């Protein structure tokens, strides 16, 4: 039997669905039958706190367990029921031009005798994974981000749980909004892609949905609200993505500066819009930013299943010696793509087919049937 040590880490923002993926990597790696078939004894090793763990760890020294955690079936048995990352995460960038730590990462991978690395992350984490792959580290990636904006995959872990949170919170807001005849502006995450606002807004039946892919006119928002009241509505829910902006304006930020990967700290469009609506229409308006609540909580059934499938698929790639790939799902089928193709650009809502630019809402035509071209 060959011996093979597999490092597993999670990077970037946490979300529901990461722990199910880790559990199923470990279970697949340690499955007796698969080990016999693969003639390899696998040892899964959890790296804590993302790339930070691979920078800070001192292999062999006392205190090493701060960043390295042996994983077996007993350890991960219940992990699929929990949100966040049991391994911890960080937004550390080993290739930060101001403080390049990539040599330490490479040296530690060697000292920890890792034969493969499975990185669970979004664009930033996968960007690092790709650079390591180019430097000869055998890497496999699993996509996760509640924003669901990675290209090459129809799904990223965490999204459906976040949509459920948005829907549940809006259900709660409806009773207070209705009692007080108020408008509520609900800000969701979603830096580049409006998926959370759009699908969360659709699931919760929001009156108006605003997404980064289509700059909005505050006047049109006010017009729709006034029309709604004239038609007898007692209250309205507006869902706005953190990356949405008014036409001619810029994105709203909650704090100065950028993170280790150069991203602005977005936030505030909901508050600003609420103030603008109240000032222009005289209708009482409140705003709420769902913020990190969307990343929290136990994974929904779909994230547990997708975490499981992605975890198993990632381990299959490792066993087959296929590296530089990200597992992904397309048209309902779990498959793989080059990590390189999944980074450096976002996957956007298709405004033409998925968004109603008049009503600022989800589409009202789905099959897009053309008259006379289809059998009745
Ligand atoms: O993971 C992406 C994301 O969910 C963005 O939508 C959001 O802007 C960001 O995380 C905020 O993350 P944090 O506060 O953890 O840096």
């Amino acid at each position: 039997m060959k011996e093979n040590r597999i490092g597993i880490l999670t990077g970037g923002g946490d979300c529901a669905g990461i722990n199910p993926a880790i559990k199923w990597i470990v279970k697949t790696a340690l499955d007796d039958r698969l080990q016999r078939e693969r003639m390899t004894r696998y040892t899964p090793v959890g790296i804590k706190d993302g790339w930070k763990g691979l920078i800070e760890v001192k292999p062999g020294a006392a205190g090493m367990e701060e960043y390295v955690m042996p994983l077996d079936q007993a350890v991960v048995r219940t992990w699929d029921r929990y949100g966040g990352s049991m391994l911890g995460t960080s937004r550390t960038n080993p290739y930060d031009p101001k403080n390049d730590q990539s040599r330490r990462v490479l040296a530690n991978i060697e000292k920890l005798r890792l034969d493969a690395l499975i990185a669970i992350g979004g664009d930033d984490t996968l960007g690092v994974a790709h650079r390591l792959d180019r430097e000869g580290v055998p890497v496999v990636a699993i996509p996760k981000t509640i924003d669901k904006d990675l290209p090459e995959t129809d799904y990223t872990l965490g999204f459906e749980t976040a949509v459920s949170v948005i829907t549940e919170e809006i259900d709660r807001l409806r009773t207070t909004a209705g009692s007080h005849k108020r408008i509520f502006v609900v800000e969701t995450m979603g830096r580049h892609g409006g998926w959370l606002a759009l699908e969360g807004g659709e699931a919760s039946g929001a009156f108006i949905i605003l997404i980064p892919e289509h700059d909005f006119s505050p006047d049109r928002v006010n017009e729709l609200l006034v029309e709604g009241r004239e038609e007898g509505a007692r209250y309205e829910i507006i869902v706005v993505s953190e990356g949405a902006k008014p036409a001619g304006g810029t994105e709203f930020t909650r704090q100065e500066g950028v993170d280790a990967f150069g991203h602005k700290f977005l936030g505030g469009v909901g508050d600003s819009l609420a103030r603008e609506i109240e000032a222009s229409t005289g209708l009482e308006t409140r705003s709420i930013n769902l913020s990190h609540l969307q990343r929290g909580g136990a994974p929904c059934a779909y994230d547990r299943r997708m975490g499981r499938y992605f975890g198993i698929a990632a381990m299959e790639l490792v066993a087959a010696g296929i590296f530089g790939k990200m597992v992904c799902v397309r048209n309902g089928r779990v498959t793989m793509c080059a990590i390189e193709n999944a980074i450096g650009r976002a996957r956007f809502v298709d405004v033409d087919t998925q968004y109603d630019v008049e009503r600022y809402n989800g589409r009202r035509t789905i099959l897009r049937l053309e008259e006379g071209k289809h059998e009745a």
Side-chain angles (χ1 to χ4, degrees), residues 13 91 145-147 189-191 242 254 266 292 295:
R91 289 201 187 275
T145 163
I146 66 165
D147 292 5
M189 285 191 176
R191 309 180 63 82
E242 64 181 349
R254 66 184 139 90
L266 296 186
H292 296 75
R295 298 223 299 247

Side-chain angles (χ1 to χ4, degrees), residues 51 92-95 123-133 261:
W51 301 118
T92 305
N93 179 6
Y95 289 99
D123 185 59
D124 299 331
T125 309
L126 303 192
V128 174
H130 172 57
R131 292 184 74 164
L132 289 174
D133 172 65
F261 288 91

Side-chain angles (χ1 to χ4, degrees), residues 287-309:
S287 71
I288 182 165
N289 188 343
L290 293 182
S291 186
H292 296 75
L293 286 173
Q294 296 159 95
R295 298 223 299 247
C300 67
Y302 190 67
D303 275 318
R304 294 185 202 199
R305 279 168 47 231
M306 290 312 295
R308 176 179 176 134
Y309 301 153

Side-chain angles (χ1 to χ4, degrees), residues 40-284:
T40 309
R41 198 184 332 273
Y42 293 102
T43 306
V45 181
I47 309 293
K48 293 202 211 159
D49 301 342
W51 301 118
K52 181 172 190 266
L54 275 181
I55 293 170
E56 300 293 336
V57 67
K58 300 205 171 32
M64 172 179 155
E65 55 290 342
E66 195 182 338
Y67 292 111
V68 172
M69 180 183 193
L71 296 173
D72 62 26
Q73 313 239 28
V75 172
V76 300
R77 188 175 64 83
T78 61
W79 281 20
D80 49 349
R81 299 166 212 170
Y82 299 100
S85 170
M86 294 290 198
L87 293 178
T89 187
S90 66
R91 289 201 187 275
T92 305
N93 179 6
Y95 289 99
D96 187 340
K98 285 188 254 116
N99 180 22
D100 193 318
Q101 307 260 36
S102 55
R103 300 307 99 185
R104 269 174 82 172
V105 169
L106 289 167
N108 282 334
I109 289 174
E110 198 146 330
K111 286 186 201 155
L112 291 168
R113 292 181 291 106
L114 300 180
D115 299 294
L117 189 63
I118 301 181
I120 306 173
D123 185 59
D124 299 331
T125 309
L126 303 192
V128 174
H130 172 57
R131 292 184 74 164
L132 289 174
D133 172 65
R134 278 204 322 217
E135 303 211 46
V137 178
V139 185
V140 166
I142 294 182
K144 69 93 217 149
T145 163
I146 66 165
D147 292 5
K148 204 179 71 171
D149 60 354
L150 278 182
E152 298 289 321
T153 185
D154 296 342
Y155 194 68
T156 56
L157 297 179
F159 178 76
E160 282 297 333
T161 304
V163 168
S164 300
V165 171
I166 294 169
T167 310
E168 283 160 22
E169 297 299 345
I170 289 179
D171 279 351
R172 281 190 190 95
L173 289 173
R174 284 183 181 283
T175 52
T176 177
S179 305
H180 290 264
K181 289 185 94 175
R182 283 174 176 157
I183 296 164
F184 260 89
V185 182
V186 181
E187 183 173 319
T188 68
M189 285 191 176
R191 309 180 63 82
H192 311 291
W195 300 104
L196 277 174
L198 178 62
E199 295 184 53
E202 287 176 337
S204 59
F207 184 66
I208 289 176
I209 299 170
L210 302 172
I211 58 175
E213 290 85 345
H214 185 77
D215 290 352
F216 63 89
S217 146
D219 289 344
R220 178 64 184 149
V221 170
N222 293 333
E223 195 175 85
L224 287 165
L225 290 166
V226 170
E227 270 172 34
R229 286 295 161 108
E230 282 168 4
E231 284 166 19
R234 267 188 78 82
Y235 73 95
E236 289 84 10
I237 303 286
I238 301 178
V239 179
V240 58
S241 185
E242 64 181 349
K245 56 182 189 336
T250 49
E251 291 156 337
F252 288 77
T253 50
R254 66 184 139 90
Q255 125 187 15
E256 295 271 293
V258 290
D259 69 15
F261 288 91
H263 306 305
K264 291 189 218 163
F265 300 101
L266 296 186
V269 61
D271 284 345
S272 161
L273 182 62
R275 280 197 301 275
E276 143 71 27
I277 290 168
E278 195 166 280
S280 303
T281 64
L283 297 168
E284 214 182 340

